Amino acid sequence: MERLYTALYETLKAGQPAVLLTVVARKGSTPRGIGSHQVVFSDGTTVGTVGGGYQEHLAIECGKKCLAERKSEFRRLILYPNDIEDIDAACGGELTVFCQYLDPALPNVLAVLEAMIAALQHKKASWLVFGVSDAAHWGMALVTDSVIGCGHTASLPAIDADWCRRHPVGMTKEGDEILYHERLASPGRVFIFGGGHVSQALVPVLAGIDFSCVVVDDRPEFARTDLFPQAVAVREVNYQKLPEDLGITADDYVCVMTRGHHGDYDVQRQILPIKPHYLGVIGSRRKLAFVKGKLMDDGFSAADIDACYGPIGLAISAETPAEIAISIAAELIAVRARREGREKHRPAAK
């Protein structure tokens, strides 16, 4: 997402217009969900995706039309068989895409985009809000602990972070206005305890899907930045007494993957009281039972221990370090999606 908004920012800063495509509503089964984005540039190139296939082609064509006409509009993409706008897709759903024309001369638009990029870089809790009662006169705002907006800001009533948290993502009617909002960035880093083979496979995967990783190990030969070039930090620590400046908070994700039972126990014992958003522990059920027993002897409740994810990762029969890394990344994607209110549910089997 940061790449998309950076490309958009640089294009507008160079004096060229662009169209931002945003999936603002969906019904039924669709290839992408609410909050999917794609930018259409004046040379016909794009960044991002709103679903791929023919439906994306139609959205891009609408974006080109909006560029030529210097206007914004909604585009409904129907995936039902035999519909008048049938696009020969088997998903059986419907997308509504907001094709938003962005003029480089629009006051404050660059400041809003710059603030969005900074929020993504720093993983700052933030939301993107559109006022779309009238597609031709939209307002756009970034909401953090403050609000910065551009466009027809009168279409944005008194919104703040509390408003964004209270309402589900997507379209909402607020008084006489129709608003769309999505989570732009969630707080939270991924602290990975253990710098072994699984961690070395995991960090590049997580970095590629916008997780900010901190690797922690008690061995100098594994606490090396050259092993983890995609990590934001690599720390060598004593597992038995974690330093206070490690800075783990309740917003963070923690993966415990040290080289043995005792390292896992030492780390989990100190992390449990923090109650991070996610705490996953690698290992067999036998090892997890051993660590659980020691933690219960320390006074932790079974409920607190069982709230941890263990064995870590989705159950996809992963065996190799690369496969285990994929299973962990998939679990973190699911946890993050649930946190951001964009979790998808499979239809019940018939």
Side-chain angles (χ1 to χ4, degrees):
M1 196 68 74
E2 181 186 337
R3 173 175 168 264
L4 181 147
Y5 286 116
T6 299
L8 179 58
Y9 172 80
E10 290 174 347
T11 297
L12 295 181
K13 189 176 181 181
Q16 296 296 315
V19 169
L20 175 63
L21 307 177
T22 301
V23 176
V24 296
R26 61 180 289 206
K27 295 180 182 177
S29 178
T30 60
R32 294 298 298 271
I34 291 171
S36 298
H37 294 280
Q38 189 165 19
V39 179
V40 182
F41 302 106
S42 55
D43 63 359
T45 61
T46 68
V47 174
T49 177
V50 291
Y54 190 55
Q55 78 275 11
E56 183 166 287
H57 166 74
L58 292 178
I60 292 171
E61 289 303 304
C62 184
K64 292 177 179 178
K65 175 173 171 284
C66 289
L67 272 170
E69 298 177 1
R70 300 170 64 88
K71 70 173 189 178
S72 303
E73 65 179 62
F74 287 98
R75 182 66 162 90
R76 182 167 165 251
L77 303 174
I78 299 175
L79 284 68
Y80 298 118
N82 303 317
D83 195 287
I84 191 171
E85 291 187 87
D86 177 43
I87 57 178
D88 194 28
C91 294
E94 178 181 314
L95 294 175
T96 300
V97 178
F98 181 42
C99 304
Q100 180 185 13
Y101 176 76
L102 292 166
D103 191 316
L106 179 68
N108 221 38
V109 65
L110 289 177
V112 172
L113 289 171
E114 196 169 21
M116 290 167 61
I117 294 166
L120 287 164
Q121 289 175 337
H122 296 100
K123 300 294 185 288
K124 185 175 184 178
S126 53
W127 295 262
L128 179 61
V129 183
F130 297 149
V132 290
S133 300
D134 179 356
H137 299 92
W138 51 263
M140 179 170 74
L142 173 69
V143 178
T144 55
D145 47 4
S146 60
V147 180
I148 179 172
C150 63
H152 189 65
T153 53
S155 65
L156 300 167
I159 55 172
D160 57 18
D162 287 338
W163 184 93
C164 293
R165 291 188 182 98
R166 289 198 311 269
H167 292 80
V169 298
M171 304 285 271
T172 302
K173 188 164 176 41
E174 186 73 18
D176 295 330
E177 300 293 343
I178 297 174
L179 302 178
Y180 163 82
H181 89 286
E182 65 181 68
R183 169 78 79 161
L184 180 70
S186 291
R189 298 154 294 175
V190 182
F191 285 83
I192 302 170
F193 285 87
H197 296 300
V198 174
S199 298
Q200 291 169 39
L202 177 61
V203 170
V205 176
L206 293 181
I209 51 177
D210 294 328
F211 281 103
S212 180
C213 300
V214 178
V215 179
V216 184
D217 204 296
D218 63 347
R219 299 164 292 178
E221 65 269 29
F222 285 93
R224 290 168 28 204
T225 56
D226 61 305
L227 287 179
F228 301 99
Q230 300 92 346
V232 297
V234 180
R235 297 284 302 272
E236 180 186 346
V237 306
N238 180 350
Y239 284 153
Q240 293 181 348
K241 186 173 176 55
L242 299 180
E244 291 184 6
D245 69 352
L246 207 52
I248 299 173
T249 73
D251 284 327
D252 295 317
Y253 305 79
V254 176
C255 300
V256 182
M257 302 188 296
T258 75
R259 64 183 180 276
H261 297 47
H262 296 289
D264 287 356
Y265 160 71
D266 285 332
V267 172
Q268 198 173 355
R269 170 178 55 81
Q270 296 169 82
I271 299 300
L272 272 170
I274 299 172
K275 297 186 182 299
H277 187 73
Y278 170 93
L279 175 52
V281 186
I282 203 168
S284 66
R285 297 191 184 279
R286 181 178 179 181
K287 188 194 86 167
L288 293 173
F290 166 81
V291 173
K292 180 178 179 178
K294 288 179 66 63
L295 291 170
M296 290 185 71
D297 289 342
D298 291 334
F300 291 101
S301 71
D304 284 342
I305 300 166
D306 292 340
C308 301
Y309 291 75
I312 197 171
L314 295 186
I316 58 172
S317 302
E319 292 185 351
T320 67
E323 290 176 342
I324 295 169
I326 294 298
S327 75
I328 296 170
E331 186 164 78
L332 286 172
I333 289 171
V335 171
R336 181 171 64 180
R338 187 160 57 247
R339 179 184 205 174
E340 296 176 356
R342 54 183 180 83
E343 184 179 20
K344 293 182 179 180
H345 297 281
R346 293 183 180 276
K350 295 182 179 179

